[in-house]
Structure formats: structure tokens, C-alpha cells
Amino acid sequence: MFRQTLIAILAACLLLAGCSEDNNTVKIGTKNFGESNILSHMIAILAQDQGLKVDGPVEYATTPAILEALKRGDIDAYPDYNGTGLVMLGQNAMSDGDKATARVKELYEPLGLTWLSRFGFANNYGLALRADRAKELGVSTMSELIAKSGSLTLGIEDDFQTRPLDGLTPMLARYGMSFGSVNVTKLDDRAQMYDKLIDGAVDVIEVYTTDGQIADYGLKVLADDLQFFPVYQAAALARADTLAKHPAFGKAINALAGKIDAGTMQSLNGKVDIEGRSAASVARSALLELGLVKGGAVTVEDPLQVSSSASIAASDLSTTALRAIRRAFTGREVQVSTEGSP
């Protein structure tokens, strides 16, 4: 009898210890692409720096899946975009970021969810071409593409194909354009769209405007002169009860408020999506550079320097060579220097 009682007491103590530990743990979620992973790891590192225990980031395949996980309490926070927040509740996304943020805060509050301060950048949709192709076609805006679109192939991801308010069908209707053909890539393989563009398999692709490949490959993003694409400003979405329970958690997330501009995010994305570095190491290095954490920086190799003549550097050969070099030296930064005599 004494033994059974002792076992019961020990079990109760272990249960209480587990609950106590769990009560001091926050769970971070992420969507399954580089930018979301980087931001989620930033949140996790800052939360740990505030003395909180962190689970995750846990990856979810779709926005509906991660939002439902947040509602259920499976996770406590994840990075998202105000435009996506509106669309998820059947609202029209907006081109005014301040109004979009005020609206999502109002709509999500009754759900027990809180939008925190914006990180400082927007990741919008756009259409992009190789710079030489854009010059050849004489286009710099989406409207200028209308007359050319019938003979062109558009590359998109399957998610963009089905988005009801800001996807392919409403975009075509808004601009009155019709492409000769549409090449669809799975969302998980969206990086392949850039390969198809560089290789000439498609003429135009749908992009996220903070994609690292845009600057790296010198692509031309067409101006959305009819302002079809809404704004997608990044911020964290969190459970209100978690923020009330752990004030340090909100403090950790809001440390990122206004700290990340579009250029910085594009560069960070490139380190993950192009150079093949881990999101965790990129996140910690970025936080160190921003002065938000001390120590713990990830040591990386010196950049691999590639010398090129000016004529080759300005051609498609340079981009093709860069892709091949990066695949051979995964995780290594590659820099191209233009020399008169390489």
C-alpha cells in the first residue's frame, strides 16, 4: 500500500513538474518557405533571450493549417502578413498597409488572436522577367505587358493559380491580359520557377518581391501600375492569452518592430534559398547585426570569389554559371567581381 502511494505521489510530482515546465514554454510555428522560417527562428531566439523555453519552429504546409493550429493552441505565434490575414477571413486585401493592419487587428481580436507590431517590410506579389528580355520586349510596367502577353509563357505556383481575390484569374481580369500559355509549379518547388525563367522555358514569372533571386539574378520586376496586388506587410500573429501570460514574449517579438526593411529581408532570403544556409544560422547572424542579441554568431566561410569579364557578367551566361557554382558549393556565399582581364 505504501509503495502504491509513493508511486502515486511521484507520478503527481512528475506531472506537476511537466506542467510547470510546459507553462513556461512558448511554441512557434512557421510556414514552409524560407522567409517564414527565418522570421520564426528570429522570434524563437529572441524569446529564448528573454528567458522563455521554446518549442519549434514547427512547420505547416498551408496558411489555413497554421492558423487553425494557432486557434487550437497547438502553437502560440507565427509570422504572417496583414494582407493574408484579411484574405483568410474572406476580406478584400488592401493597398494601404496602415488600414490593413487596423482591420486585421479588429477582426482577429474576437478570435483571441493579436497582431503585433510590423517588422518593417512588405512581401508582395509581382511579375518579373530577365532584364534582357524586359528590354527586348520594351516593358517596365504590367500594363505594357498586355499587348505582348499572347505570345508569352507565364510561370506561376499552384497556390497563385487558385487564390480567389489576388491570384491569377483576378489579375488577368484586372489587366485584361491573356498569356499564350501558363506553366504551373508546385508551391513546395517554387524555386524552380527561377530556373525555368533563366533557362528560357518561361518568359515571365510570378514572384514574391523579397525573393533573394530577384537581386541576385538582376531580374526586372514590372511596376504594378494599376495597383492590383495588395500589400502584404509582415508581422507576428499570436494568441492573446499567451501574451498576457508571458509579457516577455510580446517584448521579444516587438523587438523586431520596424527593424527589417525589404532589402535586408531579400538578402536574408538569398542566404537560405540560394546559398543553402540554415534558417536558424541566418536568423541568429541577422539578429547579431541588428544588435538584438549578443554572441552566438554562426561562423561561415569567406565568400567564394568569381572573376568575370564585364561582357559575360552582363549576360545570361553569368546567371547560369552562378547557379552551377552555388549548387556545387552549397552554403557558401558566392561573389562575382568584374575584371578587365579575369
Side-chain angles (χ1 to χ4, degrees):
M1 186 69 174
F2 174 75
R3 183 180 179 182
Q4 291 176 330
T5 303
L6 181 60
I7 291 173
I9 292 172
L10 289 172
C13 289
L14 288 172
L15 180 61
L16 288 171
C19 290
S20 175
E21 181 180 352
D22 188 58
N23 284 339
N24 195 40
T25 300
V26 291
K27 292 161 284 189
I28 312 298
T30 178
K31 300 184 189 182
N32 62 342
F33 62 96
E35 182 167 292
S36 187
N37 286 331
I38 294 167
L39 294 172
S40 295
H41 277 287
M42 283 185 168
I43 292 171
I45 292 167
L46 289 170
Q48 289 171 334
D49 203 49
Q50 288 291 322
L52 294 168
K53 295 178 181 177
V54 176
D55 276 350
V58 180
E59 191 169 288
Y60 291 84
T62 65
T63 300
I66 197 170
L67 180 57
E68 286 306 311
L70 186 68
K71 290 179 182 177
R72 288 193 306 267
D74 294 346
I75 56 175
D76 295 296
Y78 70 92
D80 211 335
Y81 307 88
N82 51 12
T84 299
L86 289 172
V87 172
M88 287 305 298
L89 295 187
Q91 303 287 309
N92 288 320
M94 304 175 180
S95 57
D96 186 312
D98 292 339
K99 290 181 179 178
T101 296
R103 184 62 174 147
V104 290
K105 286 184 176 181
E106 176 187 356
L107 291 171
Y108 280 76
E109 184 179 5
L111 302 177
L113 305 178
T114 300
W115 287 86
L116 287 95
S117 299
R118 286 166 283 180
F119 299 141
F121 74 92
N123 185 359
N124 302 329
Y125 281 111
L127 295 184
L129 300 82
R130 292 191 333 239
D132 62 332
R133 190 78 169 110
K135 184 176 181 180
E136 176 188 333
L137 293 170
V139 296
S140 60
T141 69
M142 289 175 62
S143 288
E144 291 172 342
L145 193 65
I146 297 172
K148 318 280 186 178
S149 61
S151 60
L152 304 177
T153 297
L154 172 67
I156 62 171
E157 62 194 27
D158 54 4
D159 181 66
F160 186 72
Q161 186 179 32
T162 58
R163 293 178 73 96
L165 301 176
D166 57 356
L168 177 64
T169 300
M171 180 193 75
L172 296 178
R174 172 68 168 155
Y175 275 94
M177 68 174 73
S178 177
F179 286 90
S181 61
V182 177
N183 184 291
V184 183
T185 301
K186 289 183 179 179
L187 180 60
D188 287 348
D189 301 322
R190 69 179 302 270
Q192 293 179 7
M193 292 195 303
Y194 286 96
D195 291 337
K196 293 175 182 178
L197 181 68
I198 299 305
D199 292 337
V202 299
D203 302 288
V204 187
I205 61 171
E206 156 251 329
V207 299
Y208 302 161
T209 53
T210 54
D211 281 347
Q213 294 93 332
I214 293 174
D216 196 64
Y217 296 156
L219 303 181
K220 173 67 175 180
V221 178
L222 299 179
D224 179 18
D225 50 319
L226 296 186
Q227 297 185 326
F228 166 75
F229 291 121
V231 67
Y232 288 88
Q233 295 173 327
L237 179 59
R239 291 182 60 85
D241 56 359
T242 301
L243 295 174
K245 188 176 184 179
H246 301 294
F249 190 41
K251 179 181 178 181
I253 297 173
N254 281 330
L256 290 170
K259 291 292 197 302
I260 309 172
D261 60 26
T264 298
M265 195 68 244
Q266 192 175 79
S267 175
L268 298 179
N269 287 337
K271 294 180 187 302
V272 171
D273 297 330
I274 301 173
E275 296 172 20
R277 301 187 192 181
S278 73
S281 65
V282 169
R284 179 166 288 281
S285 294
L287 290 174
L288 186 70
E289 289 185 18
L290 290 171
L292 297 179
V293 296
K294 296 179 180 179
V298 178
T299 302
V300 296
E301 296 179 86
D302 290 334
L304 181 65
Q305 298 287 346
V306 179
S307 185
S308 168
S309 66
S311 59
I312 291 179
S315 72
D316 292 341
L317 289 174
S318 175
T319 303
T320 302
L322 272 176
R323 285 190 295 153
I325 293 168
R326 288 195 172 109
R327 284 169 180 163
F329 295 90
T330 303
R332 186 88 176 267
E333 182 180 357
V334 181
Q335 293 181 354
V336 177
S337 60
T338 302
E339 304 290 343
S341 178

